[in-house]
């Protein structure tokens, strides 16, 4: 029977997920970082590329006690499951032992069809089911990853957002720090492109990106080269990239030099009127450097969250040559 499903987006991208769900015939409302839909078709839900997970609500504001939780969840159990408690700071193991003795079904933390999710909030909790017996076939290209690889749902959501910012049909999209290629594959899934080109100075990253492209049947091309030694022929319509954060890869000090040189080099990567959509946790540095470049204009910025960090998205327009010459004169 149709029931409520909460489809979660990467933090800050609920509207992108809502729009994608609509294309799948699932009409919902945004609730925080989730989109609430009502459906009996979980396979359709799991076609949403911008979704990180789907939860089936059981009950809200349940007393944080084993008996109360068992009473609310008992009728839902009919298969193997595991118990996941979040936000509970006391004896988790003891709590789980008491709870599983009160529940029907078979608690098996290593082999299960579903997860009983308990989200604790002081003395109450919200209860959800998460299905694990629905195969996730959304990312056939994801054969190899890197330590700093972007979550595929985030790559799709950021790509969908970037697509909304350009007007060019069949754009030429360039990722100058492409890593394993996630952003290009996410963009390619949403629109026809004239060209998709990824560059990275790491040979191992390019090898993984090419393997992923082959697995996913992608038309994206990849080149091992320092982006500062590359010029885009005819200029790209969109430069879309997950910049080095200076945490897992590089450092803030290295970023000071890299970001400054990269932004100066953007004029050789974008065509006149082209757009750059850059994702980074080194936001203060990037914003300062954008404002120091006469041929770049910061259109908008947007805060997100991922992996305990607070990355920002910067949307940057390349101004026509005459415009940034005038800006230089104004500064002089």
């Amino acid at each position: 029977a149709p029931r409520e499903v909460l489809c979660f987006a990467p933090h800050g991208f609920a509207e992108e997920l809502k729009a994608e769900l609509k294309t799948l015939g699932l009409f919902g409302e945004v609730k925080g970082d989730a989109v609430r839909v009502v459906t009996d078709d979980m396979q359709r839900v799991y076609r949403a590329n911008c979704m990180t997970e789907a939860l089936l609500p059981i009950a809200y504001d349940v007393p944080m006690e084993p008996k109360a939780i068992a009473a609310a969840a008992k009728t839902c159990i009919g298969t193997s499951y595991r118990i996941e408690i979040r936000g509970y700071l006391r004896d988790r193991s003891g709590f789980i032992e008491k709870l599983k003795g009160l529940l029907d079904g078979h608690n098996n933390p290593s082999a299960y069809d579903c997860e009983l999710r308990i989200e604790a909030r002081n003395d109450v909790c919200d209860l959800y089911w998460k299905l694990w017996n629905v195969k996730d076939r959304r990312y056939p290209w994801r054969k190899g990853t890197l330590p700093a690889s972007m979550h595929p749902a985030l790559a799709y959501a950021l790509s969908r957002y970037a697509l909304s910012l350009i007007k060019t049909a069949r754009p030429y999209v360039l990722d100058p720090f492409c890593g394993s290629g996630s952003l290009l594959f996410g963009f390619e899934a949403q629109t026809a492109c004239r060209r998709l080109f990824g560059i990275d100075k790491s040979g191992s990253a390019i090898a993984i990106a090419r393997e992923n492209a082959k697995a996913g049947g992608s038309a994206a091309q990849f080149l091992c080269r320092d982006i500062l030694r590359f010029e885009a022929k005819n200029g790209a319509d969109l430069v879309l990239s997950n910049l080095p954060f200076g945490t897992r890869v590089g450092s803030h000090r290295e970023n000071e030099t890299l970001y400054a040189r990269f932004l100066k080099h953007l004029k050789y990567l974008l065509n006149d009127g082209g757009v750059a959509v850059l994702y980074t946790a080194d936001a203060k540095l990037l914003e300062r450097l954008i404002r120091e470049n006469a041929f770049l204009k910061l259109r908008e910025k947007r805060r997100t969250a991922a992996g305990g960090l607070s990355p920002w998205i910067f949307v940057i327009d390349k101004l026509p040559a005459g415009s940034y010459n005038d800006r230089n004169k104004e500064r002089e």
Side-chain angles (χ1 to χ4, degrees), residues 48-94:
N49 290 310
C50 298
M51 183 181 72
T52 55
E53 66 175 353
L55 298 180
L56 301 152
I58 299 171
Y60 298 110
D61 297 324
V62 177
M64 191 60 191
E65 300 169 358
K67 286 186 178 179
I69 293 171
K74 200 166 187 177
T75 55
C76 302
I77 304 238
T79 184
S80 60
Y81 65 93
R82 68 181 291 268
I83 298 170
E84 169 74 12
I85 302 179
R86 298 187 178 182
Y88 187 69
L89 303 179
R90 286 174 276 178
D91 180 9
R92 291 164 52 89
S93 298

Side-chain angles (χ1 to χ4, degrees), residues 74-235:
K74 200 166 187 177
T75 55
C76 302
I77 304 238
T79 184
S80 60
Y81 65 93
R82 68 181 291 268
I83 298 170
E84 169 74 12
I85 302 179
R86 298 187 178 182
Y88 187 69
L89 303 179
R90 286 174 276 178
D91 180 9
R92 291 164 52 89
S93 298
F95 193 98
I96 290 174
E97 283 299 315
K98 290 179 182 178
L99 178 58
K100 72 182 187 181
L102 297 169
L103 291 169
D104 294 332
H106 175 55
N107 178 69
N108 188 339
S110 59
Y112 47 89
D113 290 325
C114 55
E115 171 189 303
L116 173 58
R117 175 80 58 84
I118 303 169
E119 297 277 0
R121 293 180 288 104
N122 298 321
D123 295 327
V124 297
C125 63
D126 299 329
L127 305 179
Y128 306 92
W129 284 117
K130 180 177 179 179
L131 304 183
W132 287 95
N133 56 1
V134 179
K135 289 187 177 181
D136 190 343
R137 298 185 174 90
R138 292 179 295 171
Y139 314 117
W141 50 266
R142 201 169 190 243
K143 298 299 180 183
T145 61
L146 297 164
S149 288
M150 180 177 279
H151 190 286
L154 175 56
Y156 273 82
L158 180 54
S159 298
R160 176 173 279 272
Y161 172 62
L163 178 60
S164 71
L165 299 168
I166 61 174
K167 299 178 180 179
T168 309
R170 298 180 58 83
Y172 170 10
V173 183
L174 172 66
D175 185 345
F177 303 94
C178 67
S180 60
S182 302
L183 279 172
L184 291 178
F185 303 137
F187 199 94
E188 183 180 27
Q190 298 176 74
T191 189
C193 297
R194 177 163 50 96
R195 191 178 190 193
L196 293 148
F197 203 73
I199 296 176
D200 202 293
K201 68 178 183 179
S202 167
S204 58
I206 292 299
I208 290 172
R210 287 172 176 166
E211 177 189 6
N212 288 340
K214 183 177 180 181
S218 171
Q221 299 173 296
F222 297 94
L223 177 67
C224 183
R225 186 173 295 179
D226 184 342
I227 188 59
L228 300 176
R229 298 177 181 273
F230 176 84
E231 293 185 19
K233 187 177 181 180
N234 300 322

